[in-house]
Amino acid sequence: MEQNTNNTKVKRALKARHLSMIAIGGCIGTGLFMASGEAIRSAGPGGALLAYAAIGLMVYFLMTSLGEMATYLPVSGSFSTYAARFVDPSFGFALGWNYWFNWVITVAVDVSIAAIVISYWSPLAIIPTWGWSLIFFAIIVSLNMLSVKAYGESEYWFSIIKVVTVVVFLAVGLLTIFGILGSEYIGFKNFTIGQAPILGDGFSSRFLSILGVFLIAGFSFQGTELIGITAGESEDPQKNIPKAIKQVFWRILIFYILAIFVIGLIIPYTSPDLLGADINEIAKSPFTLVFEKAHWAFAAALMNAVILTSILSAGNSGMYASTRMLYAMGKQGMAYKAFEKTNKHGVPVLALGATAFVVFLIFVLQVNFENAVDYVLAASGLTGFIAWLGIALSHYRFRRAYVAQNKDLNKLVYKAKWFPFGPILALVLCILVIIGQDSQLIFNGVVDVKAMLITYMGIPFFLFFYIYHKVKFKTKVVPLKEVDLSQNED
């Protein structure tokens, strides 16, 4: 799509390889490199595999739902558009602003964390952490300023680094398991279906441990929905999006399942090293531990470099996603119309500038008022799951409206399998994960008001936008026969 005379069009410059790697890069990151150890520690390797497989299945259905809508109506900022058209304008408004805010927070946090990670190399500490944060922030903004192709290429190579790391890890891990690397034959002696000893015995303990891993797995897989944001800038969305969805799902699922299987075989799930690894403790990353078992002395430095790449990739994608969401809302009248303006490269520069400005403000807030940022982060904590719920609901309504208006399903370029089971399963699991954020409250009746506020703040934050729009514009759920199924983007 070429830019038109009023400069409100993005350009279709993302190739199939870009889309594939953007989706892979969106969810292979610190969730896999750092949090997978906590998942195994909590539920045992068997429980962790079960939880990741279940969430992986849900993500598959979400991506097929998104694929059906994105090939029919390929637009930037798709979630807001689909929700507004197929469900309720107020729902689309709330979904769009909530998703924008989530990625703005993510970018601000990522540039701060990247500065901490780079301090691993002592000589680089000559520049203060806030200085490194500003350098990384400038790099991310610059990549997004150039063109969508520049963003696609940078994300492609960021993702290649992560994929190669996982492939090397799997190869080294398998050789270590069979004693070819390392000092002993490990085999399957450490694999168990058991739960964490800290939770005790009984069904409720087992259920709680696996539910906890559902949460970890859900956060780890978030980012796959970025493929919907890129639909409006894909060269050939009808061809490239289905191809990317098919490839990405199997690659991600294989990477995650095999990685957890390898970690579970090599490191006993009772090992304290698997519990509590965070971004400040690269040496406790399960990937680092496995590489060290294979006698790779430079394992910590290698993983530090990879994790730094992952964080910059997340920040790069976050800036792109939030900018495109603001651009889309500008086109739909859900934000200032000025945000729909693009430059000669098809980049929505005003939306990018406004987003970057808010990111900078949150970064300054984070540096000066650490406690305040805890609440800001909490407000965006559930946004990914709310976005997934929005995708499932939008697809369910889209398909029902398509049939209600007597359209031929065979004319859909890409048709999601197992409808309506897929979106319904995704809806149920998303609700389960959202409610299950505070398992102590649900199963033990323990009420901590402050903890509840921080845990569930994302829900009232979403409802604020929804109720504001609903009261102001008095919108209603769109009747199925009145759903706008035209393929016009505006």
Side-chain angles (χ1 to χ4, degrees), residues 171-374:
V172 169
L174 291 173
L175 292 174
T176 303
I177 289 167
F178 293 104
I180 299 172
L181 292 176
S183 57
E184 62 174 332
Y185 172 82
I186 297 174
F188 292 83
K189 66 180 181 181
N190 291 327
F191 192 84
T192 175
I193 308 296
Q195 78 284 356
I198 57 173
L199 290 175
D201 297 320
F203 173 78
S204 62
S205 294
R206 290 175 182 269
F207 180 76
L208 279 175
S209 65
I210 294 177
L211 178 60
V213 178
F214 268 55
L215 308 183
I216 296 171
F219 281 112
S220 297
F221 279 116
Q222 283 181 17
T224 49
E225 76 282 348
L226 283 170
I227 199 167
I229 299 290
T230 63
E233 294 173 272
S234 169
E235 274 188 347
D236 186 353
Q238 282 76 22
K239 177 182 177 183
N240 292 341
I241 289 176
K243 183 179 178 181
I245 286 174
K246 184 177 180 180
Q247 292 177 347
V248 167
F249 168 74
W250 289 111
R251 290 175 185 176
I252 289 172
L253 196 59
I254 289 171
F255 286 158
Y256 268 93
I257 296 298
L258 282 182
I260 289 172
F261 185 65
V262 166
I263 294 167
L265 286 178
I266 295 176
I267 306 171
Y269 80 102
T270 53
S271 171
D273 288 335
L274 289 177
L275 191 62
D278 60 30
I279 210 67
N280 295 298
E281 298 177 292
I282 302 299
K284 287 189 177 181
S285 162
F287 276 60
T288 303
L289 296 174
V290 169
F291 282 138
E292 287 176 345
K293 282 275 188 180
H295 297 164
W296 283 27
F298 57 92
L302 170 67
M303 286 311 304
N304 195 73
V306 172
I307 288 170
L308 177 61
T309 301
S310 298
I311 294 167
L312 293 177
S313 171
N316 192 36
S317 292
M319 185 65 76
Y320 172 83
S322 52
T323 298
R324 284 348 186 245
M325 184 59 74
L326 191 56
Y327 159 79
M329 290 190 293
K331 288 182 75 69
Q332 298 171 67
M334 296 181 180
Y336 291 117
K337 291 292 287 182
F339 291 139
E340 70 174 341
K341 299 295 183 182
T342 59
N343 64 12
K344 64 181 181 179
H345 301 296
V347 176
V349 285
L350 291 178
L352 175 60
T355 299
F357 178 70
V358 177
V359 169
F360 180 75
L361 288 181
I362 294 172
F363 169 71
V364 172
L365 179 69
Q366 182 175 275
V367 171
N368 294 284
F369 304 99
E370 184 176 352
N371 291 334
V373 175
D374 290 339

Side-chain angles (χ1 to χ4, degrees), residues 432-444:
L432 175 66
V433 171
I434 289 171
I435 295 175
Q437 296 290 310
D438 192 341
S439 56
Q440 293 298 318
L441 171 65
I442 295 170
F443 293 97
N444 298 333

Side-chain angles (χ1 to χ4, degrees), residues 457-477:
M457 191 185 292
I459 296 176
F461 188 81
F462 173 83
L463 291 176
F464 167 78
F465 284 105
Y466 179 78
I467 294 170
Y468 163 78
H469 192 272
K470 179 70 68 175
V471 170
K472 184 174 181 178
F473 296 100
K474 297 179 173 57
T475 64
K476 296 181 180 179
V477 174

Side-chain angles (χ1 to χ4, degrees), residues 16-29 32 63 155-156 158-164 166 220-227 244-245 247-253 255-256 313 317:
R17 64 184 179 89
H18 293 141
L19 296 183
S20 180
M21 283 301 177
I22 285 169
I24 289 176
C27 72
I28 293 183
L32 176 61
M63 292 189 73
E155 199 55 30
Y156 176 81
F158 278 146
S159 298
I160 283 287
I161 292 171
K162 290 185 280 189
V163 169
V164 169
V166 177
S220 297
F221 279 116
Q222 283 181 17
T224 49
E225 76 282 348
L226 283 170
I227 199 167
I245 286 174
Q247 292 177 347
V248 167
F249 168 74
W250 289 111
R251 290 175 185 176
I252 289 172
L253 196 59
F255 286 158
Y256 268 93
S313 171
S317 292

Side-chain angles (χ1 to χ4, degrees), residues 439-461:
S439 56
Q440 293 298 318
L441 171 65
I442 295 170
F443 293 97
N444 298 333
V446 178
V447 179
D448 183 333
V449 176
K450 183 178 179 181
M452 272 191 65
L453 181 63
I454 291 176
T455 301
Y456 292 106
M457 191 185 292
I459 296 176
F461 188 81

